[in-house]
Amino acid sequence: MTQSTDGPVVLRGGTVLTLDDARRVLPGADVLVEGDRITAIGPALDVPPGTTEIDATGGLVLPGMIDTHRHLWQTAMRGYGADWTLTQYFVWYYLEWGKVFRPEDIYAGNLLGALEALEAGVTTTVDWSHGLQTTQHADAAADALEAVPGRFVLAYGNIQDAPAHWTGTPEFRDFVARRTGGDLGFQLAFDVTGDPAFPEKPAFEVARELGVPVTTHAGVWGATGDDGIRLMHDHGFMTPETVYVHGASLSADSYHRIAATGGSVSVSTESEQSAGQGYPPTWALRKYGIPVSLSMDTSVWWSGDLFSAMRATLGADRSREHLEAHAKGDTVTHAALRADQVVEWATRGGAAALGRSDLGSLEAGKKADIVLLKNDDSPASFPVLNPYGHVAFQAQRGDVHTVLVGGRVVKRDGKLVGVDLAAVRRRVEDTVEHLRAQLGEEAWRQGMNPDVPETKVLDNPYTYTDYQSDRTHGG
C-alpha cells in the first residue's frame, strides 16, 4: 500500500504549467507546498527540514482538473449504456429503472466515481446527483463523497419528483441544515422544461433563499431549450453562478442572455457528440464570449477523465470549423481553438464556474491541488516539446503519477493512497447484483443492447456487374 505523507511537500524539476494570468510555463521548476497551500514556485527552492521530495523531472505539473458535471451515482453501471441514445437514457433512468436504486447503490456509485475522478487527476468534481429520491439517498451520496479525499460539490437533484416539490419538503430542509456549510460544496440540480407556467420557479426561489447556485441541463435537444432560458431570464434567475450544462441546442438569443448575465456552460463533448443533445457548442460559446468548463457527464456511457474531454473538445470544435469552411469552398489555415485553451477550461474554467478563485492555477497562496503527469515507462512520455499540446493530445489517466488535494498526497507513484479497491468492488458488485435481480435477466440484457435501426443501401452508379463478377471468380 502506498503510504501517505505528512508535512511539507516539494515537486522538483518539472515543467510547471501555472495557468496563472500570464499563463507562464516554467521548465525545471519546483513547487513547494506547506499545509494546504502553495508557498513557492521556482528553480532549486530551499525547503523546510523534513519536506517530502517528489521527483518531477521530465514530467508536467499542472493544477488539479475540475469536472463541473458528472452523474457519479451511475458509475456502478460503467459502460452499460455504451450504445444508448439520449432517449434510451431517459427511458431507462427517468421512466423505468432509476427508482430501483437504493441508498446503498447511490453510495457505491458515488464512491467508485469519486475515486475514478481523483485517480485521473480530477481534484474537484460536481456530483450532478439527480438520483436522490429520498434524503436517505442524499445522505448516502454525501457520505460517499466525504469518504474520498478530493473536493466535491453535491448538486442535489431528484428525477423522480418535481423540483418545486422536493425542494420544499421538511426532509430536504433538514438535509440542508445537517449536511451543508462544511467542506462539501452544494448546488441545486434541476432542469427547466419551458412550460409557460414556469413550475420550477419555487425551486429557484429556494436556491435564492439558501444562497446556493443552480446547475441545469440547458440546450438539450427535445428536452430543454430556449423557452426555459427565457423563463429563467424573465424571472431574474439567471446569475453569474448559474452553470448551464451542454448548451448545445440554443438560439443566439439564449446565448446572449447567458453572456449578459455572466453564467457559464459546462461542455460534455463526448456526451453531446454521442447522445444527441446537439453539436458540442464551444464554437458558439467562443463567439458569444461565454465562459466554458469541461465535464464527462456519466461513466454509464463514456470515460471518466478530462483528458478525454480535452481531446474530444478540440476534435469537435476543429471538425466543425473545417466543415463550415469546406461548405463555402474555403480552407482553414489556422485552427481557432488551441490546446492551451482546453487545458485552461479543464482547470481555470472549472474554478471560475464554481466561484473558486483559490483553485485552478498554481500560484503562491492558492490551494495546493496539484497533478504531476509523469510516466517514465511510456514511450509516449517524451519528448515534451509543446506542454499544452502534450496534456491535451498525448497524456492519459495512466500518466497521472501524483495528485495532491489541499496539500495532501492522495495519489503517488501511480497508485491511490490508502484506498481499499477490493472493498469498493464488493459494494459495486452488490449494486449490480441488485439491479440485475430487479430488472430480470432479459430486461438487463435488452437494456444494454437497444435495437439497431434498419439501414438502407443506396444505389451506387459505380457498381459494375462485370467487375464484381470478375472479382467473385478471381479474374
Side-chain angles (χ1 to χ4, degrees):
M1 183 69 70
T2 304
Q3 297 299 310
S4 180
T5 58
D6 295 312
V9 177
V10 65
L11 293 90
R12 290 281 195 195
T15 296
V16 179
L17 282 64
T18 64
L19 275 297
D20 63 7
D21 290 342
R23 306 302 189 269
R24 293 178 303 154
V25 176
L26 307 176
D30 303 341
V31 180
L32 176 61
V33 173
E34 297 178 88
D36 67 346
R37 303 276 175 170
I38 298 168
T39 55
I41 301 175
L45 294 177
D46 291 328
V47 301
T51 297
T52 298
E53 302 213 4
I54 297 173
D55 181 11
T57 306
L60 295 166
V61 182
L62 64 150
M65 289 174 276
I66 298 173
D67 185 319
T68 51
H69 158 245
R70 194 181 303 193
H71 306 296
L72 292 178
W73 66 285
Q74 298 171 353
T75 312
M77 294 185 65
R78 182 189 308 286
Y80 180 91
D83 295 319
W84 281 353
T85 62
L86 192 60
T87 298
Q88 289 156 341
Y89 170 86
F90 284 150
V91 169
W92 204 97
Y93 278 112
Y94 285 60
L95 301 179
E96 292 183 342
W97 301 113
K99 61 180 69 70
V100 306
F101 281 72
R102 306 164 297 177
E104 54 263 48
D105 304 320
I106 300 294
Y107 185 96
N110 267 29
L111 186 65
L112 180 62
L115 289 170
E116 174 185 22
L118 199 61
E119 194 262 345
V122 179
T123 53
T124 301
T125 303
V126 175
D127 175 26
W128 220 101
S129 200
H130 58 352
L132 308 183
Q133 54 192 303
T134 71
T135 50
Q136 288 75 36
H137 290 74
D139 276 315
D143 288 345
L145 299 180
E146 290 177 347
V148 176
R151 296 189 196 277
F152 299 98
V153 176
L154 179 65
Y156 193 119
N158 179 3
I159 57 177
Q160 305 301 330
D161 196 7
H165 182 259
W166 62 258
T167 58
T169 63
E171 294 82 7
F172 172 75
R173 293 298 185 133
D174 173 68
F175 175 87
V176 172
R178 289 186 293 106
R179 301 303 300 259
T180 64
D183 291 336
L184 181 63
F186 192 66
Q187 298 176 346
L188 294 191
F190 58 86
D191 296 336
V192 182
T193 64
D195 180 342
F198 197 27
E200 300 85 9
K201 181 181 178 183
F204 279 106
E205 290 171 340
V206 170
R208 178 176 289 170
E209 176 193 346
L210 296 175
V212 299
V214 170
T215 176
T216 184
H217 294 108
V220 175
W221 181 262
T224 60
D226 296 321
D227 290 340
I229 295 292
R230 179 181 51 77
L231 286 166
M232 290 175 63
H233 188 267
D234 289 351
H235 289 84
F237 292 121
M238 294 179 72
T239 74
E241 295 76 34
T242 307
V243 177
Y244 307 86
V245 177
H246 301 305
S249 302
L250 296 174
S251 67
D253 181 72
S254 290
Y255 289 130
H256 280 308
R257 292 177 192 253
I258 293 171
T261 53
S264 64
V265 173
S266 177
V267 176
S268 304
T269 305
E270 283 195 341
S271 178
E272 289 120 29
Q273 284 180 318
S274 178
Q277 292 92 341
Y279 200 90
T282 49
W283 60 280
L285 303 178
R286 290 188 289 105
K287 177 180 177 180
Y288 292 96
I290 297 171
V292 177
S293 62
L294 299 183
S295 56
M296 284 311 307
D297 206 345
T298 171
S299 291
V300 78
W301 255 302
W302 304 291
S303 54
D305 66 85
L306 289 187
F307 300 108
S308 297
M310 289 185 277
R311 191 166 297 132
T313 300
L314 278 169
D317 194 290
R318 291 175 175 179
S319 177
R320 186 179 183 109
E321 186 180 18
H322 287 298
L323 285 172
E324 289 184 341
H326 296 173
K328 296 182 292 186
D330 294 336
T331 298
V332 175
T333 59
H334 294 75
L337 185 63
R338 313 301 281 256
D340 65 316
Q341 290 171 276
V342 295
V343 177
E344 180 173 334
W345 290 345
T347 52
R348 281 179 68 110
L354 300 181
R356 293 296 303 262
S357 60
D358 56 344
L359 303 176
S361 63
L362 301 182
E363 302 175 70
K366 290 207 171 186
K367 293 283 190 181
D369 290 12
I370 304 171
V371 173
L372 167 61
L373 304 180
K374 181 178 177 178
N375 188 348
D376 292 338
D377 296 322
S378 170
S381 67
F382 61 89
V384 179
L385 307 178
N386 177 344
Y388 287 112
H390 199 93
V391 173
F393 277 130
Q394 306 299 322
Q396 57 184 314
R397 65 185 311 135
D399 300 323
V400 177
H401 178 283
T402 299
V403 179
L404 284 78
V405 179
R408 177 182 178 185
V409 177
V410 298
K411 182 179 182 181
R412 187 171 183 185
D413 299 324
K415 299 286 183 64
L416 288 169
V417 175
V419 174
D420 185 354
L421 279 181
V424 178
R425 183 190 297 270
R426 288 192 293 271
R427 287 184 178 274
V428 171
E429 288 173 345
D430 178 71
T431 286
V432 172
E433 289 174 8
H434 165 70
L435 294 174
R436 294 184 77 147
Q438 290 292 307
L439 274 68
E441 282 303 307
E442 183 178 355
W444 175 261
R445 289 193 298 271
Q446 179 59 32
M448 75 174 79
N449 293 288
D451 293 336
V452 177
E454 293 185 8
T455 58
K456 182 181 185 300
V457 178
L458 297 177
D459 294 331
N460 186 342
Y462 300 102
T463 301
Y464 299 107
T465 303
D466 290 345
Y467 173 74
Q468 294 294 337
S469 176
D470 290 344
R471 293 276 291 187
T472 302
H473 293 90

